[in-house]
Amino acid sequence: MVEALVARWFDARGDEPTAVQRAVFAAFPRGRALLVTAPTGSGKTAAVMLPLLADLIAHPPAAAHGVRILYLAPVRALSATQTDAVAAMVTALGGSLRVAQRTGDTSPRQRAAQRERPPEVLLTTPESLAVLLAGPGREMLTHVAAVVLDELHLLAAGKRGALLSTTLALLDTWVAMHAAPPPRRLALSATVRPLDALAAWVHADAEVIAVANDTPAELRITDPPMEHAFPDGAWAWRTVLPMIARQVAATDGTTLLFVGARARAELWSVALRDVLPARYGVACFHGSLSQEERARVADELRAGALRVVVATSALEVGVDLPAVRRVLVLGAPNATSRLLQAAGRADHRPGIPARAELIPTSALDVVRCAAVIRAARGGEVEALALREGDLDVAVQAALGRLQLCGATAREVGDGLRASRSLRGLTVADLDQ
């Protein structure tokens, strides 16, 4: 039944499963946790969501309303986009599952409605999940069967990853308190290293599915003329701005211009509005915009109504933007993974190579751009820093555990050590 539903989905679209989708579909019945890594635009999200949704549609729970599939995204923009995509999958599979989003943008009224009538599929962020587990909303999560971790390279790194690791352990504890098996974890990323360590972070028994990139990214430097090795600020407006405007005008579709800071995104969007024809739609996108403004820009992007969007890294992660035809990156990215994620926004669909043009801002930046392109072509992706043993994380995790219900010190310690980031916690650490 599950296989038939998934096959019908592909038949309706006139598509065939991609390599990563075939690999995940083959591994899915084994029931293990998965770490799936494959190039951007290869269909990773559908690879895990289609069988999860089809199984839930084919075998609906007999009782106990609540969230069954929990989808964690690193940023609200991705959560919002994927909410629409997952809802479309449900409809195409012929199901009637409720799909909802819960982030910092969700109103109190919407949260109350979700508690009253929980969705079967909930898309959220790590921080919102931690808040949910700390309050009455956790009653929705008593029977979660699967947790999807999208863009794992942004979820697992640093202190945020350490906190998420403890949050996932708390979720396991909460589900176990209601006599249900621990949720299955399925993690996705196009740019994540080292695979063995990340797989262990996902779950001690996680299976790695790594699909190589058959269509290497097309990366090049668009080198504007420089009068000096380190041009002043006026040079950017005098030389780089007209060059970008010409590239935008020559592109049939949307151009994404990535810049390194929110203030720069605002400045460049205003400047491009000044020099481009009035009929061209120009927008700015970053994490400090209001929910309404982010939604408006995302809607116009999907509709193909914008010729250029100046964005920060908030649009680098796996947001599906089919109207985007060109990606420009102003200044050398500080990581290979950042470049590959940005390049993956161009023609984001299976079989199409990622593309990006880097615009250096000084002679030294030319060298940096060349270095990051060389590293990307050689598959040299930076290793994530996975933190362990942070006592401030342990404090928050202990408080989170006691919010679920009372526990002995030993029970708290055992629960904390179930998290990858606190597995080495000693009795002395716990006492401290």
Side-chain angles (χ1 to χ4, degrees), residues 211-275:
V211 176
N213 193 349
D214 293 332
T215 53
E218 298 175 359
L219 308 170
R220 67 186 183 90
I221 297 174
T222 298
D223 197 0
M226 299 179 191
E227 297 115 355
H228 307 286
F230 296 92
D232 58 22
W235 166 81
W237 306 122
R238 186 174 63 250
T239 305
V240 180
L241 177 61
M243 183 190 75
I244 292 176
R246 288 192 296 271
Q247 289 173 317
V248 170
T251 301
D252 182 18
T254 302
T255 297
L256 279 186
L257 171 62
F258 285 107
V259 298
R262 296 168 182 176
R264 294 186 78 186
E266 299 279 358
L267 285 172
W268 278 89
S269 61
V270 170
L272 285 168
R273 285 192 190 99
D274 286 343
V275 299

Side-chain angles (χ1 to χ4, degrees), residues 154-313:
L154 295 178
L155 292 177
K159 186 65 70 72
R160 189 191 198 196
L163 287 165
L164 175 56
S165 178
T166 63
T167 303
L168 293 173
L170 283 175
L171 176 64
D172 287 352
T173 300
W174 177 245
V175 171
M177 287 178 181
H178 295 81
R184 183 182 186 182
R185 299 178 188 173
L186 305 105
L188 313 172
S189 180
T191 52
V192 66
R193 298 289 187 280
L195 289 181
D196 290 344
L198 266 295
W201 186 95
V202 173
H203 191 272
D205 187 42
E207 177 180 352
V208 176
I209 296 178
V211 176
N213 193 349
D214 293 332
T215 53
E218 298 175 359
L219 308 170
R220 67 186 183 90
I221 297 174
T222 298
D223 197 0
M226 299 179 191
E227 297 115 355
H228 307 286
F230 296 92
D232 58 22
W235 166 81
W237 306 122
R238 186 174 63 250
T239 305
V240 180
L241 177 61
M243 183 190 75
I244 292 176
R246 288 192 296 271
Q247 289 173 317
V248 170
T251 301
D252 182 18
T254 302
T255 297
L256 279 186
L257 171 62
F258 285 107
V259 298
R262 296 168 182 176
R264 294 186 78 186
E266 299 279 358
L267 285 172
W268 278 89
S269 61
V270 170
L272 285 168
R273 285 192 190 99
D274 286 343
V275 299
L276 288 170
R279 67 180 184 278
Y280 283 17
V282 179
C284 176
F285 193 98
H286 56 70
S288 292
L289 296 175
S290 68
Q291 176 188 1
E292 294 76 18
E293 180 65 10
R294 291 198 308 272
R296 182 190 67 80
V297 174
D299 288 343
E300 291 184 351
L301 257 174
R302 282 192 287 268
L306 296 173
R307 290 296 294 268
V308 58
V309 178
V310 187
T312 62
S313 58

Side-chain angles (χ1 to χ4, degrees), residues 370-386:
V372 73
I373 288 177
R374 180 177 179 177
R377 288 173 176 165
E380 301 172 24
V381 178
E382 299 81 9
L384 292 188
L386 301 176

